[in-house]
Amino acid sequence: MRTLGLDQPEPSITHVPSARSRRVQGMLVLVPLLVGCMIVSMGAGAMSMSPAQVVSILFAKVGLPPLATFTDQQAAVIHAVRLPRVLMGALVGAALAIAGAALQGLFRNPLADPGLLGVSGGASLAVAAVTVLKVNLLGLHTQPVAAFGGSLGAILLISSLARGNGRTQVATMLLCGVAINALCLAGTGLFTYLSTDDQLRTLTFWQLGSLSGATWESVSTLAPLVLVCAVGVTLLSNPLNALMLGESNASHLGISVERLKWQLVTLVALGVGAAVAFSGMIGFAGLVVPHLIRICLGPNHRVLLPLSALLGATLLVLSDLVARTVVIPSELPIGIVTALTGAPFFLYLILRQRRLPVS
């Protein structure tokens, strides 16, 4: 199988000042952009608030003087509903984007996506199973725990199938991921067919993705898992840069390629599984975001990974803002918004690859 190559120039892992400079420049743009989007998103909705009021409510929490007057009801809405929802959106977007960037580097394939390995498919199958079979061992936590377990189960099965003669073949892992993902989606379709009307409504809403269930409890559970994924993947930036030169060249540079594959797959399963468990199926974020950073700042993973996390967080906060406000008083599933953005970009990538010379 021919592996589609990244069309950008090969990265240089020796130009550390240049990479650091681009990373700082990117952060100077993306950090204020993320903060601004979070403030605007918290102020939008049925109870509209100005950015100054939102900032004042947040300032009051830490004892700083307010910039504008606000009511107790507005403060309650921010603290109890919109702040945890915005934080969850940022965490989910960061997890999906940095996982997509890591998988594209691992497979040296610009079309790789967290869903490609069956992570999302495994979560979907597990949630469909516990819903239709009426499993409720953990109360409100049953569905998130099932989704996380399904994700990990899928990735472990794929990894074991792809391992032979003491090595894990990346191309085989990719093909196994596609097959397992198809099986998981078929199983989800079967459970959906067997579901009642109420179960069908629950499954459909979860599969389309939503942040409406965000609470401080869910945010505090998700945050450390995403942090471990983001920090762990970022620490593997230099080995990922070496891997883009080919597995043999990476081995000659002292990289343990086999251990690197397992580390990346485990971290991706942790971050994406946790994100999908709390937000449902949100596609294309892991595909689109790394490409936007790569087009603007190049393929060096020391720049690509942290900035993908920031841009992924920003785009998902904006997508949730659109989902909440475009059809007020109803709410559009966020997966529809990200699909409307990601699908045209996916088609653009396919058409662009067709114009590249065959290697």
Side-chain angles (χ1 to χ4, degrees):
M1 184 187 73
R2 184 174 76 87
T3 301
L4 297 176
L6 298 176
D7 55 306
Q8 288 78 13
E10 293 179 345
S12 170
I13 59 176
T14 58
H15 296 168
V16 177
S18 177
R20 182 182 297 117
S21 175
R22 280 178 288 157
R23 186 169 63 241
V24 171
Q25 290 172 4
M27 287 184 174
L28 289 176
V29 174
L30 290 177
V31 171
L33 180 63
L34 174 60
V35 173
C37 290
M38 294 174 74
I39 291 173
V40 171
S41 182
M42 281 188 281
M47 180 183 287
S48 179
M49 286 171 266
S50 68
Q53 287 178 309
V54 173
V55 173
S56 298
I57 292 171
L58 299 177
F59 277 6
K61 195 70 175 178
V62 294
L64 295 176
L67 303 177
T69 58
F70 58 87
T71 65
D72 291 341
Q73 187 179 10
Q74 289 174 324
V77 169
I78 290 292
H79 291 308
V81 180
R82 295 186 184 172
L83 182 55
R85 179 165 182 151
V86 166
L87 290 176
M88 174 164 283
L91 289 169
V92 170
L96 295 177
I98 200 169
L103 289 179
Q104 289 169 13
L106 174 63
F107 292 116
R108 300 190 295 281
N109 188 322
L111 303 182
D113 178 76
L116 200 64
L117 279 178
V119 178
S120 300
S124 176
L125 176 59
V127 169
V130 299
T131 301
V132 175
L133 299 177
K134 299 180 180 179
V135 177
N136 194 28
L137 298 176
L138 302 174
L140 295 176
H141 299 287
T142 300
Q143 196 175 85
V145 171
F148 185 50
S151 300
L152 283 178
I155 202 68
L156 291 175
L157 177 60
I158 293 164
S159 299
S160 62
L161 290 174
R163 189 171 177 81
N165 298 324
R167 292 176 56 83
T168 302
Q169 299 295 328
V170 170
T172 305
M173 183 183 290
L174 187 63
L175 291 174
C176 290
V178 172
I180 295 298
N181 193 46
L183 284 174
C184 289
L185 294 180
T188 303
L190 179 61
F191 279 115
T192 303
Y193 175 76
L194 297 174
S195 63
T196 63
D197 289 344
D198 290 341
Q199 291 170 341
L200 178 62
R201 191 178 300 110
T202 301
L203 287 176
T204 302
F205 192 71
W206 187 85
Q207 288 171 1
L208 292 174
S210 175
L211 300 176
S212 60
T215 61
W216 281 113
E217 183 181 9
S218 57
V219 170
S220 61
T221 303
L222 177 62
L225 300 176
V226 173
L227 186 64
V228 169
C229 169
V231 172
V233 170
T234 302
L235 291 175
L236 297 174
S237 298
N238 284 338
L240 266 175
N241 281 339
L243 190 62
M244 290 178 65
L245 303 174
E247 292 190 16
S248 298
N249 291 330
S251 298
H252 292 154
L253 291 173
I255 304 297
S256 175
V257 176
E258 197 66 17
R259 186 172 62 185
L260 175 61
K261 293 175 186 174
W262 279 98
Q263 289 172 333
L264 284 172
V265 166
T266 303
L267 289 169
V268 166
L270 178 66
V272 176
V276 172
F278 287 101
S279 65
M281 303 280 283
I282 299 177
F284 289 106
L287 174 68
V288 174
V289 172
H291 281 286
L292 292 176
I293 298 296
R294 195 178 288 115
I295 289 171
C296 295
L297 296 171
N300 191 329
H301 287 87
R302 298 185 64 183
V303 180
L304 177 64
L305 293 173
L307 297 190
S308 291
L310 284 174
L311 185 58
T314 304
L315 288 185
L316 215 67
V317 169
L318 285 177
S319 297
D320 184 54
L321 173 62
V322 173
R324 288 191 296 112
T325 57
V326 74
V327 290
I328 287 180
S330 299
E331 180 178 322
L332 198 65
I334 192 173
I336 294 178
V337 179
T338 57
L340 288 174
T341 306
F345 195 79
F346 186 78
L347 293 174
Y348 160 75
L349 290 176
I350 294 175
L351 295 176
R352 190 181 183 199
Q353 285 293 339
R354 289 179 58 186
R355 291 196 292 268
L356 294 176
V358 177
S359 59

